[in-house]
Amino acid sequence: MSEFITGPGEQGLYRLAAGTLLAAFQGTTAPEWVLRELDNGLGGVTLFGFNVADPGQLSALTARLRAAGDPVVSLDEEGGDVTRLAYHVGSPYPGNAALGAVDDVELTRSVYRSIGDDLARCGVNLDMAPDADVNTADDNPVIGTRAFGSDAGLVARHTVAAVHGLQSAGVAACVKHFPGHGATRQDSHLEVPLVDASMELLHARELVPFRAAIEAGAKSVMTAHVQVPALTGNLPATLSPAALTGLLRGELGYDGVVVSDALDMKAITDAYGLAGGAVLSLAAGTDLLCLGPLPTEEDVRRIVAGIVAATRDGRLPVSRLEEAAERVARLRAWFGEPRQVPAGENVIGLTAARRAVSMTGSASPLVDPLVVEVDTPPTIAVGDVPWGFSPWLSQAEIIRVKPEAADVPGILARASGRSLVVVVKDAHRYEASQTVVSALLAARPDATVVEMGLPIWRPAGTTYLATYGAARANAQAAAELLSL
């Protein structure tokens, strides 16, 4: 029994409060405090790349967690740039931008079915995917290739395909980030982004994929820490009753589980704190609170205590916690339905990446190639996942340069008499990357440029490959095309 329980009447309330939390922890084995709190009613866990070494280790970890309680075991496995299963090597699946570029909903369904199978074999039952944002801001710092595209109809049909694919494998989809993060130019990990859209525009654009996902039976929806003045006033949507209860529950009729985006993001903690944000989010209509990777064991205890205190002073009705518990119980019952999980490898990821990659111009046969990868800082959502052409171009010399410190004359001298391939990621967002590429192309117009982010900035007059993502599968597909 937890040390927060001070009397026999408190145990049920503690379990209700703890049942709303998805905690995180460091390392590849479950700490004793997590196992103890699962026994005391903790809702579940969110796993990150630092929790995953390989499929066997992850299966053992999730089995240990299940032995301690009945947890929701979640992680972000979007494919493409955002991967936790393949955090140390890069995803074998292309992400949403590549799938949207192909625009074959059956391919998207198959990719997500394969992702779901991978997760199910490892004991994960909730995938915080797909990303249903309509990415209308080219310089969006947090969505980008995570979105299927900028057209609401395209995003909606692929979101539905992704939901069907994941859930056919017995893994719950978590469609994100409601009511839409695609029109933002700020990163909610660092601040509260603004979506300056009217309710009419929200309905015509941002909400289209979410409405479709709800009709498709999505088991959960994730909130966004975005401020939409027309809807949320000065609150982020994660804390907004108008967004979660009025719009999502009421107008859109959604009765599945609502999951918060990570509460340790500065968009929440800077203004409300962890416990304060947790209480406000639950009151607004959230059922499960993703705490993110930063909160410690002591933080988790304080959050539970804060939720319990809020029920006592009337800020949070006990009935709201009971409602959340009932929805999560329905989700757990769905997890328990019998399903067959296929064994073996699936090559659908590489197939999809090959279909997505495109070439403008024509590439000459590579001669002793020098590949220059222009470094791009990782986003918080993606993390430090490996990207680039190693090991797919075994005949090439591959170097990585920081754009601000790139020795262009030295690179050109090194590339003399050799094929030159310049690799960038989201060059449209980094002027320094554009400067390096332009300087190299001025001397070597025969060079090939490979864009592994969104293909928005395209230098004229050169052979140009667009992969629509930097996953391992994207790199392999591009390398095959260059080697033809």
Side-chain angles (χ1 to χ4, degrees):
M1 186 177 295
S2 169
E3 62 193 63
F4 275 106
I5 301 172
T6 57
E10 297 295 299
Q11 183 172 3
L13 184 56
Y14 181 93
R15 293 185 71 88
L16 280 174
T20 65
L21 304 186
L22 297 176
F25 55 88
Q26 299 291 322
T28 55
T29 58
E32 284 303 315
W33 74 266
V34 170
L35 300 176
R36 182 176 64 251
E37 291 306 319
L38 284 172
D39 185 51
N40 290 332
L42 182 69
V45 299
T46 301
L47 301 176
F48 293 87
F50 49 73
N51 298 123
V52 180
D54 55 62
Q57 168 270 326
L58 181 57
S59 296
L61 170 59
T62 59
R64 184 70 186 93
L65 293 169
R66 287 195 303 274
D70 190 11
V72 175
V73 181
S74 68
L75 50 65
D76 291 80
E77 192 61 39
E78 300 177 12
D81 294 2
V82 177
T83 178
R84 306 301 184 229
L85 290 184
Y87 185 80
H88 304 291
V89 295
S91 178
Y93 302 99
N96 287 356
L99 295 172
V102 177
D103 195 14
D104 178 345
V105 291
E106 182 55 31
L107 180 68
T108 297
R109 189 205 65 78
S110 297
V111 166
Y112 272 88
R113 169 63 197 237
S114 186
I115 290 173
D117 289 338
D118 291 347
L119 293 171
R121 279 192 289 269
C122 293
V124 175
N125 50 29
L126 188 149
D127 186 9
M128 293 181 174
D131 191 307
D133 298 307
V134 182
N135 195 71
T136 55
D138 285 349
D139 56 347
N140 193 319
V142 70
I143 304 300
T145 59
R146 301 169 66 194
F148 289 110
S150 59
D151 177 80
L154 180 146
V155 173
R157 61 181 174 265
H158 287 277
T159 297
V160 167
V163 168
H164 285 162
L166 281 173
Q167 295 187 173
S168 67
V171 174
C174 187
V175 182
K176 60 189 184 186
H177 306 79
F178 184 85
H181 211 314
T184 62
R185 290 177 169 82
Q186 303 89 26
D187 186 342
S188 51
H189 295 86
L190 305 174
E191 58 185 314
V192 181
L194 177 69
V195 178
D196 190 12
S198 66
M199 289 304 300
E200 181 181 18
L201 180 56
L202 282 176
H203 278 284
R205 188 178 67 186
E206 272 79 6
L207 297 180
V208 172
F210 291 99
R211 189 184 295 274
I214 290 168
E215 293 173 356
K219 294 299 177 182
S220 63
V221 170
M222 178 179 282
T223 70
H225 303 330
V226 297
Q227 179 185 346
V228 190
L231 172 64
T232 70
N234 61 0
L235 290 172
T238 296
L239 311 184
S240 168
L244 303 186
T245 299
L247 177 59
L248 182 57
R249 297 288 190 207
E251 186 174 344
L252 300 184
Y254 185 62
D255 195 36
V257 172
V258 174
V259 183
S260 78
D261 205 347
L263 290 183
D264 62 348
M265 293 158 67
K266 290 182 181 295
I268 301 299
T269 57
D270 279 0
Y272 308 98
L274 277 170
V279 169
L280 289 172
S281 188
L282 289 169
T286 301
D287 302 307
L288 281 174
L289 302 170
C290 173
L291 300 184
L294 299 180
T296 63
E297 172 186 1
E298 188 59 32
D299 290 326
V300 171
R301 294 178 180 279
R302 289 195 187 101
I303 293 167
V304 174
I307 295 170
V308 169
T311 63
R312 290 183 181 138
D313 64 23
R315 288 176 292 141
L316 181 64
V318 174
S319 60
R320 177 75 270 282
L321 296 182
E322 293 170 338
E323 179 185 55
E326 193 275 330
R327 287 201 183 100
V328 176
R330 277 192 274 131
L331 181 63
R332 286 194 175 97
W334 181 83
F335 292 154
E337 294 176 8
R339 295 175 183 86
Q340 184 175 2
V341 179
E345 293 294 320
N346 193 317
V347 297
I348 189 65
L350 181 56
T351 299
R354 286 168 174 161
R355 291 182 62 185
V357 66
S358 65
M359 179 186 291
T360 303
S362 58
S364 301
L366 296 177
V367 177
D368 188 20
L370 175 66
V371 177
V372 180
E373 296 173 348
V374 182
D375 200 28
T376 301
T379 66
I380 296 174
V382 172
D384 197 13
V385 177
W387 67 278
F389 274 78
S390 180
W392 306 117
L393 282 177
S394 58
Q395 77 274 36
E397 178 188 3
I398 301 174
I399 62 173
R400 182 155 302 190
V401 300
K402 293 191 177 298
E404 299 83 359
D407 176 11
V408 171
I411 293 171
L412 291 170
R414 197 167 178 173
S416 179
R418 308 167 65 183
S419 298
L420 178 60
V421 179
V422 186
V423 185
V424 292
K425 187 165 70 165
D426 284 331
H428 67 285
R429 294 189 55 232
Y430 301 98
E431 186 176 349
S433 295
Q434 297 173 30
T435 299
V436 170
V437 175
S438 297
L440 291 171
L441 291 177
R444 288 289 304 270
D446 63 320
T448 296
V449 175
V450 181
E451 171 59 78
M452 300 195 75
L454 289 180
I456 293 172
W457 180 76
R458 294 185 177 225
T462 190
T463 299
Y464 181 91
L465 272 69
T467 65
Y468 295 91
R472 179 159 45 101
N474 299 119
Q476 183 176 350
E480 291 173 349
L481 196 55
L482 287 172
S483 299
L484 291 178

